[in-house]
């Protein structure tokens, strides 16, 4: 990780694992974009898993893959429709 300030340093200790993955992604943006994508996806998966564990409105589906979690109707209903619109 770089020695500069991260865009994710505001996250509290409870989200340390997510912040570490996001910071790793951030640090690889210019030098190793593939590694940046890996760490960004891991941070996203961690954040989504946290949401499902802590929000009673979300029901964990049988398939716990990232795609299944993101497309679960109970999850989609919590976000603006524009997030899931497909672009041509």
């Amino acid at each position: 990780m770089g020695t500069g300030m991260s865009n994710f340093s505001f996250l509290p200790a409870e989200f340390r694992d997510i912040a570490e993955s996001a910071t790793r992604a951030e640090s690889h943006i210019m030098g190793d974009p593939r590694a940046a994508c890996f760490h960004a996806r891991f941070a996203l998966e961690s954040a989504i898993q946290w949401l499902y564990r802590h929000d009673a409105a979300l029901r964990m589906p049988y398939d716990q893959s990232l795609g299944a979690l993101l497309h679960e109707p109970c999850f989609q209903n919590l976000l603006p429709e524009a997030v899931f619109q497909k672009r041509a």
Side-chain angles (χ1 to χ4, degrees), residues 3-77:
T3 57
M5 185 67 125
S6 169
N7 287 305
F8 304 99
S9 59
F10 70 92
L11 291 170
E14 178 181 5
F15 300 105
R16 184 183 67 219
D17 292 341
I18 296 169
E20 286 176 0
S21 294
T23 301
R24 283 191 184 104
E26 181 180 49
S27 72
H28 288 293
I29 290 288
M30 298 304 284
D32 191 352
R34 188 175 301 176
C37 288
F38 170 82
H39 291 293
R41 181 183 171 110
F42 188 79
L44 177 61
E45 288 174 343
S46 297
I48 298 297
Q49 289 281 345
W50 184 93
L51 286 170
Y52 272 87
R53 285 192 310 270
H54 292 91
D55 190 328
L58 296 173
R59 294 173 312 280
M60 185 67 76
Y62 177 76
D63 179 358
Q64 295 181 16
S65 67
L66 180 59
L69 296 175
L70 291 173
H71 290 92
E72 180 66 26
C74 64
F75 181 78
Q76 288 186 349
N77 290 338

